[in-house]
């Protein structure tokens, strides 16, 4: 049966201050977000009608806007209200929010200030990143040959509309029969995955690449580090090389869409015993409990 990948036509999209049907939620072909990937975005979850880690997502969004010298007409509080309005308009209590700020339409050169006002839009929809079975049995991944952007080119810390670096690595993953790939930084050390952060467990310690390894500081990554500390699990944010991944006892990825998903095979090597490990399962349970409690 053919799968329909067309966007849901029945949504209400918040676009520059108005809620409009999907068909009317369009941007100009001269938009610099489209022409050059000049813009930033956030991917956020809604659990039980609450915006997950709202403050952290808003902080990152406005930090990224500042980094690319884009000013939008809406304050953080106004954006949060707009997200809540969009959730209500779509009767969505559990789902995914895509918040985008795109440099507006302008001249054909890349000059970012020869543009009209940025477009800001909010999509609230359902998301399922990975098969539920993967959360029980684990996922297999590869290490991609595509290097993560050098932090002095497009810093991975900026969640920009230019995801081609990640997409090229994702294509390698798909070609290898996987859905995620680890990306190494230009020095050859581990940075993150194409759309998720990476953690491993070694000798009872939870280890993840440090920010200076060139990665997006994921909101879920931050939460997992906090939950691990609460559990008394020692954590390290450090430099990891390819063999560290092959020698790991446990591994998992984190992301707003992915939540926490165990990794049980990497480059055809079993991670630990080839099953989700005890610390991974503990943190998955703690993550769920955190969501159920409304985040506290
Ligand atoms: N790294 C990349 C490249 C991402 O795009 C994302 C978000 N999908 C993450 C990590 C995870 O970040 P967060 O937990 O904030 O969703």
């Amino acid at each position: 049966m053919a799968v329909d990948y067309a966007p849901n036509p029945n949504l209400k999209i918040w676009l520059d201050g108005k809620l409009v049907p999907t068909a009317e939620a369009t941007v100009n072909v001269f938009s610099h977000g489209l022409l050059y990937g000049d813009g930033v975005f956030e991917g956020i979850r809604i659990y039980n009608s609450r915006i997950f880690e709202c403050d952290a997502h808003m902080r990152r969004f406005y930090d990224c806007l500042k980094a690319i010298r884009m000013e939008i007409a809406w304050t953080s509080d106004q954006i949060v209200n707009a997200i809540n309005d969009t959730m209500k308009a779509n009767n969505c209590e559990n789902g995914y929010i895509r918040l985008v700020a795109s440099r507006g339409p302008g001249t054909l050169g890349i000059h970012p200030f020869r543009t009209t006002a940025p477009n800001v839009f909010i999509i609230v929809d359902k998301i399922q990143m990975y098969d539920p079975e993967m959360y029980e049995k684990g996922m297999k991944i590869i290490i991609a040959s595509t290097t993560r952007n050098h932090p002095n080119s497009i810093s991975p810390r900026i969640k920009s509309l230019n995801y081609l670096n990640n997409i090229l690595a994702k294509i390698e993953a798909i070609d290898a029969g996987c859905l995620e790939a680890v990306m190494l930084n230009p020095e050859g050390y581990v940075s993150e995955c194409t759309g998720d952060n990476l953690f491993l467990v070694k000798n009872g310690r939870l280890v993840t690449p440090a920010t200076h390894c060139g990665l997006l500081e994921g909101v879920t990554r931050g939460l997992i580090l906090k939950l691990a500390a609460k559990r008394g699990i020692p954590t390290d944010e450090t430099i990891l090389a390819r063999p560290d991944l092959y020698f790991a006892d446990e591994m998992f990825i984190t992301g707003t869409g992915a939540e926490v998903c165990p990794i049980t095979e990497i480059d055809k090597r079993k991670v630990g015993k080839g099953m989700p490990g005890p610390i991974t399962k503990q943190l998955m349970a703690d993550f769920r409990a955190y969501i159920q409690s409304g985040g506290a």
Side-chain angles (χ1 to χ4, degrees):
M1 198 179 77
V3 182
D4 185 3
Y5 294 112
N8 182 345
N10 301 316
L11 296 176
K12 289 275 187 303
I13 315 286
W14 188 94
L15 173 61
D16 296 327
K18 287 194 199 92
L19 280 164
V20 295
T22 307
E24 289 170 34
T26 54
V27 292
N28 192 299
V29 293
F30 290 93
S31 160
H32 278 212
L34 174 64
L35 289 178
Y36 303 116
D38 186 352
V40 295
F41 74 101
E42 273 302 314
I44 316 172
R45 282 253 187 190
I46 311 156
Y47 295 105
N48 305 318
S49 301
R50 280 178 59 116
I51 302 171
F52 178 67
E53 300 295 85
C54 184
D55 290 351
H57 280 290
M58 285 303 131
R59 215 173 305 131
R60 186 169 68 188
F61 184 61
Y62 280 87
D63 282 349
C64 289
L65 282 169
K66 187 176 177 189
I68 68 161
R69 301 269 310 274
M70 189 190 287
E71 280 175 24
I72 60 169
W74 318 95
T75 64
S76 178
D77 286 349
Q78 286 172 321
I79 291 292
V80 171
N81 286 338
I83 291 173
N84 281 313
D85 290 347
T86 316
M87 276 159 49
K88 284 190 198 114
N90 290 287
N91 292 319
C92 188
E93 291 174 3
N94 289 285
Y96 179 83
I97 303 156
R98 174 58 55 89
L99 166 64
V100 181
S102 159
R103 193 93 63 185
T107 56
L108 280 177
I110 66 167
H111 199 314
F113 308 127
R114 292 186 181 157
T115 53
T116 53
N119 296 116
V120 181
F121 53 91
I122 299 163
I123 304 169
V124 171
D125 202 357
K126 297 278 166 226
I127 190 169
Q128 194 206 313
M129 295 268 293
Y130 305 125
D131 194 328
E133 213 191 5
M134 289 180 173
Y135 291 83
E136 263 171 56
K137 297 196 175 148
M139 179 196 267
K140 56 179 184 172
I141 59 174
I142 57 158
I143 303 175
S145 67
T146 305
T147 299
R148 190 77 178 97
N149 281 330
H150 192 287
N152 284 338
S153 58
I154 305 178
S155 172
R157 292 174 73 181
I158 301 174
K159 199 163 168 58
S160 85
L161 291 184
N162 196 322
Y163 253 54
L164 259 185
N165 179 225
N166 315 54
I167 289 164
L168 291 175
K170 176 98 175 176
I171 289 170
E172 289 186 52
I174 295 163
D175 286 349
C178 304
L179 288 176
E180 236 330 349
V182 176
M183 300 182 76
L184 305 179
N185 68 18
E187 283 73 48
Y189 297 110
V190 178
S191 62
E192 59 177 337
C193 294
T194 67
D196 300 299
N197 291 115
L198 185 73
F199 284 83
L200 62 80
V201 176
K202 185 72 188 172
N203 299 329
R205 299 187 77 83
L206 182 69
V207 191
T208 195
T211 305
H212 66 79
C213 296
L215 49 100
L216 183 76
E217 291 160 297
V219 170
T220 323
R221 172 185 181 275
L223 175 60
I224 286 295
L225 287 169
K226 271 194 233 154
L227 293 176
K230 229 174 173 180
R231 272 269 156 220
I233 300 166
T235 59
D236 297 317
E237 292 178 67
T238 186
I239 295 173
L240 292 170
R242 184 187 290 259
D244 293 314
L245 304 186
Y246 297 156
F247 300 162
D249 300 327
E250 300 180 32
M251 194 178 292
F252 60 86
I253 53 173
T254 63
T256 300
E259 302 177 307
V260 183
C261 186
I263 303 298
T264 45
E265 188 187 301
I266 179 160
D267 281 351
K268 306 272 184 213
R269 281 102 168 154
K270 263 189 201 170
V271 177
K273 297 194 171 79
M275 296 179 291
I279 291 181
T280 304
K281 284 200 211 157
Q282 180 67 67
L283 290 170
M284 287 173 77
D286 288 353
F287 178 77
R288 259 307 123 215
Y290 180 86
I291 289 163
Q292 293 311 329
S293 73

